[in-house]
């Protein structure tokens, strides 16, 4: 069941004819100043192939991704595009790794896309990365969180913008240690049974080992599981001190609702959460401390403006995938403006200069040269007391950024030693 | 202690099977009487969940769970009148295609009306928590759901076996031409069967909404399981579907106990084995019109 959808450069379509003529004239004048660059670029729009899951267990996150990148494209185009060229983002449902690979191939070879962006599933991102690398084209992996994408399976042509699993474990881990919830405690983990989950479990185990926690039970959960009752019974049979979730997408929502239904006394913590999955659970179901890459209450002028603009456009509060797609396209646009075209090798070289980008957080972010991942702040957030909030969107309280302002941003990141570009 | 854990999984599987039953019974009924594989059955389940969640703040949890299946059943009249009715006598592949297409249209329609983000829905505090009997632990809510399923099952059995309505429907399954020859129009009965079938699916959706993700593709998640249950149970067999639903639930529970990573595969292996031994399903009867 594919769900194809094109997000054209709307701003260009809504211009009146007269305004378009004026713009054209202005562009004409501008071109007198820099004819060589314009010739090199060609006249058409810069075309970006955008793949993201719109169906399946991550499908509910994909809509946010499309809305975020679309908003960024419209803002860039309304401001005159990049070097006078419009940005055209075509979004398609990546469905699963096989489909993602086929569609990536088609987008680059037949549809004439300049480069690729998107994805939430780490498995699909790996498949797209292989296609992009073979074609020597840039692929910006926006939502995937597996360490392995920045480690053993990194690529010269792939850049990752979300926080990796190790950072999520560290972001929550510091809060857990503060609350005395690791040392001499027993843990039962539920893990999404694909590359992302396996990778996260590895990072979680390393954290337990380093901090005196003991893993007494560990279940791999297929991505299409919707009923967790049998697993909840196994948790009760094991009687752990803490239940630890390494689940993804709808799995989180389903588990959290059913765990609240059974009313077991063991507290839950989690090393992965997307805000939409928390909202989807409804009030009074989720508990515990979780990691996040961004939350709409983040108090920086940039974030608050983004939230207000997003609400004005779509009538709802943006989720972290809307934010990450928005800032990622802005980063790409900065690269396009700097390199004067859409040449993938030039973009790779520019990003490798570790240029800093404003990502609407307190500190700026940059792509680390050695492993191509965006080095940025992360946050723990905790669920507020039931009844202390009326709107489900306000259910989380954002904690302070990690690492602290006095520490280097890379302090919570994996070393990147496993990656050879 | 080990056997207690296993028993717990078996009983939990039975409860889960009861819930599959709500979806599978309607699918089986519509197939048996009309010869139509209703691939859009999951859409009615999703619609039931969405309506229940939307009406919840106005009617309360119970009110919404009662009204939503009725609304979906009324929609079922239009579904039967304008879609299914054209395909009773046609090649089954046509109805298969039409209902498959309809399932996708319905999923997109839900996305357009309610948005792609899941609807938040929580269980009322009063029905949360466990019930502990000896060493066994159950969810209070699921036990109540099981009660609803048993009532529905009893009501449906009485309707099909102890009323004149049921006699016509059962005759219609085996000998539609003979029923017509006796001067009975099957069409109003068919409308009623479809209403009943999609209404049951919606009831399943409404009851499960507080404990599952309410999202546009939820119908597609459930249809496969329901379909497997109908196939294992055997076409046209009321008790076959009942046994199959419970069996699928129990086998899943036992698999989770011994080999958790294979839990989702268990029902397909079960279907494979059953069809190998009994090609018509557990209790399937030979139905003339499908034996050609």
């Amino acid at each position: 069941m594919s769900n194809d959808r094109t997000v054209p450069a709307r701003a260009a379509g809504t211009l009146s004819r007269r305004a378009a003529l004026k713009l054209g004239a202005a562009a004409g004048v501008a071109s007198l100043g820099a004819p060589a660059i314009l010739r090199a670029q060609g006249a058409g729009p810069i075309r970006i192939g955008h793949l993201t899951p719109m169906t399946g267990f991550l499908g509910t996150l994909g809509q946010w991704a499309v809305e975020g990148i679309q908003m960024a494209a419209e803002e860039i185009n309304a401001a005159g595009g990049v070097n006078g060229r419009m940005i055209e983002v075509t979004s398609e449902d990546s469905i699963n790794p096989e489909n993602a690979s086929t569609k990536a191939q088609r987008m680059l070879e037949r549809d004439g896309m300049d480069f690729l962006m998107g994805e939430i599933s780490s498995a699909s991102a790996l498949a797209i990365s292989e296609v992009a690398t073979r074609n020597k084209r840039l692929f910006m992996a926006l939502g995937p969180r597996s360490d392995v994408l920045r480690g053993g399976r990194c690529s010269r042509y792939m850049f990752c913008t979300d926080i990796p699993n190790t950072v999520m474990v560290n972001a929550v881990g510091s809060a857990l240690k503060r609350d005395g919830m690791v040392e001499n405690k027993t843990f039962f983990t539920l893990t999404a049974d694909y590359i992302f989950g396996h990778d996260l479990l590895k990072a979680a185990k390393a954290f337990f080992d380093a901090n005196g926690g003991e893993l007494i039970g560990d279940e791999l959960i297929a991505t299409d599981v919707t009923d967790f009752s049998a697993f909840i019974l196994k948790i009760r049979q094991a009687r752990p001190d803490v239940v630890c979730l390494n689940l993804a997408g709808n799995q989180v929502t389903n588990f959290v609702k059913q765990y609240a239904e059974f009313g077991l006394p063991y507290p839950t913590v989690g090393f992965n959460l997307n805000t939409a999955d928390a909202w989807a659970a409804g009030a009074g179901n989720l508990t515990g401390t979780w990691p996040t890459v961004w939350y709409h209450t983040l108090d920086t002028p940039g974030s608050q403006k983004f939230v207000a603009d997003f609400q004005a456009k779509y009538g709802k509060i943006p989720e972290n995938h809307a934010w990450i797609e928005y800032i990622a396209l802005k980063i790409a646009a900065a690269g396009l403006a700097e390199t004067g075209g859409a040449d993938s090798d030039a973009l790779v070289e520019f990003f490798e200069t570790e240029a800093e980008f404003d990502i609407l957080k307190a500190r700026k972010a940059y792509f680390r040269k050695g492993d191509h991942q965006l080095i940025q702040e992360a946050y723990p957030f905790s669920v507020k007391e039931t009844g202390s909030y009326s709107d489900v969107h306000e259910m989380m309280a954002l904690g302070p950024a990690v690492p602290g302002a006095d520490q280097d941003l890379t302090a919570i990141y994996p070393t990147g030693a496993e990656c050879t570009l | 202690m080990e056997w207690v854990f296993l028993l717990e999984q078996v009983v939990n599987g039975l409860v889960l099977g009861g819930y599959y039953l709500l979806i599978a019974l309607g699918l089986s009924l519509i197939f048996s009487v009309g010869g139509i594989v209703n691939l859009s059955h999951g859409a009615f389940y999703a619609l039931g969940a969405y309506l229940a969640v939307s009406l919840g703040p106005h009617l309360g949890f119970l009110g919404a769970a009662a009204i939503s299946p009725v609304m979906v059943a009324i929609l079922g009249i239009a579904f039967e009148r304008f879609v299914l009715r054209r395909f009773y006598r046609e090649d089954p592949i046509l109805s298969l295609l039409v209902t498959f297409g309809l399932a996708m249209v319905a999923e997109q329609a839900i996305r357009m009306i309610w948005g792609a983000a899941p609807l938040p829905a929580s269980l009322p505090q009063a029905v949360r928590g466990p019930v502990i009997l000896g060493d066994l632990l159950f969810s209070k809510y699921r036990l109540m759901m099981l009660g609803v399923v048993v009532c529905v099952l009893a009501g449906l059995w009485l309707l099909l076996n102890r009323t004149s309505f049921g006699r016509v429907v059962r005759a219609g399954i085996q000998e539609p031409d003979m029923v017509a020859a006796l001067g009975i129009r099957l069409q109003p009965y068919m409308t009623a069967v479809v209403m009943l079938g999609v209404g049951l699916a919606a009831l399943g959706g409404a009851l499960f909404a507080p404990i599952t993700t309410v999202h546009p593709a939820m119908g597609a998640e459930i249809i496969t399981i329901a379909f497997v249950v109908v196939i294992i149970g055997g076409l046209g067999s009321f008790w076959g579907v009942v046994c199959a639903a419970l069996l699928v639930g129990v086998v899943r529970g036992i698999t989770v106990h011994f080999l958790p990573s294979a839990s989702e595969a268990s029902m397909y292996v079960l279907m494979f084995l059953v069809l190998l031994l009994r090609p018509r399903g557990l209790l399937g009867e030979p139905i003339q019109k499908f034996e050609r």
Side-chain angles (χ1 to χ4, degrees), chain B residues 7 60 68 90 123 178 254:
Chain B
L7 183 64
S68 129
E90 302 289 337
L123 209 52
M178 184 53 90
I254 294 175

Side-chain angles (χ1 to χ4, degrees), chain A residues 219 227 254 257-258 261 283, chain B residues 8 122 139 142 211-213 260:
Chain A
E219 299 284 345
D227 183 81
N254 283 324
K257 283 174 115 170
Q258 290 163 24
E261 174 206 350
Chain B
E8 199 170 51
S122 294
S139 141
R142 281 182 208 229
I211 53 173
T212 194
T213 312

Side-chain angles (χ1 to χ4, degrees), chain A residues 221-301:
Chain A
I221 314 282
T223 54
D224 52 355
V225 168
T226 54
D227 183 81
F228 284 83
S229 56
F231 295 102
I232 291 170
L233 292 177
K234 290 193 98 172
I235 291 173
R236 186 221 174 207
Q237 290 159 7
R239 299 178 198 271
D241 292 320
V242 183
V243 180
C244 174
L245 304 180
N246 301 320
L247 300 174
N250 286 352
Q251 288 183 323
V252 179
T253 314
N254 283 324
F255 175 82
V256 157
K257 283 174 115 170
Q258 290 163 24
Y259 194 70
E261 174 206 350
F262 275 81
L264 295 193
Y266 320 111
T268 52
V269 299
F271 289 134
N272 178 49
L273 184 71
N274 289 296
T275 332
D277 302 329
W279 292 339
N285 290 323
L286 189 71
T287 56
T289 300
W290 302 76
T292 189
V293 63
W294 181 84
Y295 192 58
H296 65 274
T297 58
L298 181 63
D299 197 14
T300 66

Side-chain angles (χ1 to χ4, degrees), chain B residues 208-291:
Chain B
F208 230 57
I211 53 173
T212 194
T213 312
V214 182
H215 65 117
M218 67 190 294
E221 283 173 1
I222 201 73
I223 186 74
T224 324
I225 301 174
F227 201 64
V228 168
V229 166
V230 172
I231 299 291
I232 292 177
L235 297 168
S237 166
F238 182 84
W239 292 112
V241 175
V242 175
C243 294
L246 300 181
L247 196 61
V248 165
V250 169
V251 166
R252 189 176 180 281
I254 294 175
T255 317
V256 168
H257 187 77
F258 290 110
L259 192 66
S261 54
S263 64
E264 293 307 289
S266 63
M267 65 175 176
Y268 302 106
V269 175
L270 181 66
M271 178 168 79
F272 173 76
L273 291 177
V274 167
L275 290 187
L276 210 60
L277 299 173
R278 296 187 61 86
R280 286 194 192 97
L282 286 178
L283 300 175
E285 301 158 16
I287 295 174
Q288 213 60 75
K289 61 188 173 193
F290 301 137
E291 298 279 325

